[in-house]
Amino acid sequence: MRLEDILFSQGFGTRRVCAGLVQQGFVVIAGQVCEDPGEFFQPEGLRFAVQGMDWPYAERAYLMLHKPAGTECSQKPSTWPSIYTFLPGPLRTRPQKAAVQGVQAVGRLDQDTTGLLLLTDDGKFIHRMSSPKHHVPKVYEVTVKHELTVDQVERLLAGVVLDDDPKPVKAAACEAVTPLHLRLTLTEGKYHQVKRMVAAVGNRVEGLHRSAIGSLILPEDLLPGQWRWLSAADLALMSASKA
Ligand code: URA
């Protein structure tokens, strides 16, 4: 693939801008400045640097972000800053792939929810991870207002009825870690599901954090606002994840 096409596919600008970056000596591969935008490279496994920013070629982007509180999972946020502002420019301006409009969050977390969020421009991955049919478990650490009772935990496991559907929704797993800390595992992603389920058993969510999706656990060293590429091992864990 031509170097300018590689940069274009990764979101570094129009083909003309990408050719300019190369011609101006801003692109380094294996320690060498490359000045020919038409030079051919095998893209798979290629690492390069553009203006000092190290970049691994990725045909599709798969990322995790530690979402901080006070941010919206929307490209056009209404009140709070968008989570997309944490991503570097090329990930926000990658050319559209098939039906997917650039890199997008896989499902949404509320403004005040923190924790693990996946992002990708792979439409099939978004579908597989969000579809209730695939039963990918999401683990939430919930701080509640009132001390938890055995009855509340049992009702969450047995199923509660929410206002938009007569069919009860059940937690795939639920435990009181401490009297005010509930660990809840869900396989669907209904609107405000954790908050509504906890309210349905007579308690109230005071803090909500997603700690894992499938077997993928939010790494302790990924601080709020930080992101990283998913590794091949992370992706393998995700495709093996089922409740
Ligand atoms: N359930 C909620 O209520 N909010 C979230 O952000 C995620 C799950």
Side-chain angles (χ1 to χ4, degrees):
M1 198 166 165
R2 286 158 56 86
L3 185 52
E4 66 176 37
D5 294 332
I6 291 177
L7 296 191
F8 171 73
S9 74
Q10 302 301 288
F12 284 90
T14 60
R15 282 199 174 73
R16 207 158 141 189
V17 166
C18 291
L21 286 169
V22 180
Q23 282 157 347
Q24 288 168 76
F26 288 141
V27 180
V28 174
I29 302 182
Q32 300 277 319
V33 174
C34 300
E35 291 185 356
D36 177 5
E39 192 173 343
F40 271 81
F41 289 90
Q42 171 63 257
E44 280 77 33
L46 186 72
R47 286 195 89 91
F48 51 89
V50 181
Q51 294 180 301
M53 179 162 49
D54 194 37
W55 203 264
Y57 172 85
E59 191 189 348
R60 304 276 166 168
Y62 302 95
L63 326 166
M64 64 164 89
L65 170 75
H66 185 160
K67 180 191 176 294
T71 54
E72 283 183 39
C73 292
S74 165
Q75 305 267 8
K76 293 191 184 127
S78 58
T79 313
W80 304 87
S82 163
I83 51 139
Y84 295 96
T85 59
F86 295 109
L87 303 183
L91 284 174
R92 302 208 303 268
T93 52
R94 279 188 144 223
Q96 180 171 341
K97 295 262 165 53
V100 179
Q101 202 99 41
V103 171
Q104 291 186 13
V106 180
R108 289 185 175 202
L109 292 175
D110 296 338
Q111 165 278 118
D112 50 353
T113 302
T114 59
L116 181 58
L117 190 66
L118 303 180
L119 297 108
T120 185
D121 58 353
D122 178 347
K124 286 198 183 121
F125 183 83
I126 295 179
H127 177 72
R128 199 167 63 242
M129 298 308 296
S130 339
S131 153
K133 263 195 253 152
H134 287 89
H135 301 292
V136 178
K138 285 130 194 144
V139 183
Y140 294 93
E141 310 298 332
V142 191
T143 306
V144 290
K145 180 162 186 185
H146 310 290
E147 291 209 349
L148 292 155
T149 63
V150 173
D151 175 63
Q152 286 174 356
V153 172
E154 280 173 358
R155 282 166 65 200
L156 288 165
L157 284 167
V160 294
V161 176
L162 302 179
D163 46 11
D164 58 351
D165 191 349
K167 208 169 141 242
V169 281
K170 289 181 190 181
C174 179
E175 62 170 313
V177 182
T178 69
L180 294 177
H181 175 184
L182 181 73
R183 180 166 296 137
L184 193 65
T185 305
L186 301 181
T187 53
E188 312 101 322
K190 287 174 178 279
Y191 181 67
H192 288 170
Q193 187 169 346
V194 174
K195 291 175 185 163
R196 292 194 297 150
M197 285 178 75
V198 169
V201 299
N203 211 320
R204 190 188 152 94
V205 172
E206 297 269 289
L208 186 54
H209 175 81
R210 185 156 70 189
S211 54
I213 300 178
S215 315
L216 191 67
I217 296 168
L218 180 69
E220 272 179 21
D221 60 355
L222 192 72
L223 302 177
Q226 291 183 336
W227 70 277
R228 72 166 219 220
W229 297 97
L230 292 184
S231 64
D234 293 334
L235 287 168
L237 276 179
M238 299 304 315
S239 38
S241 300
K242 275 205 163 203

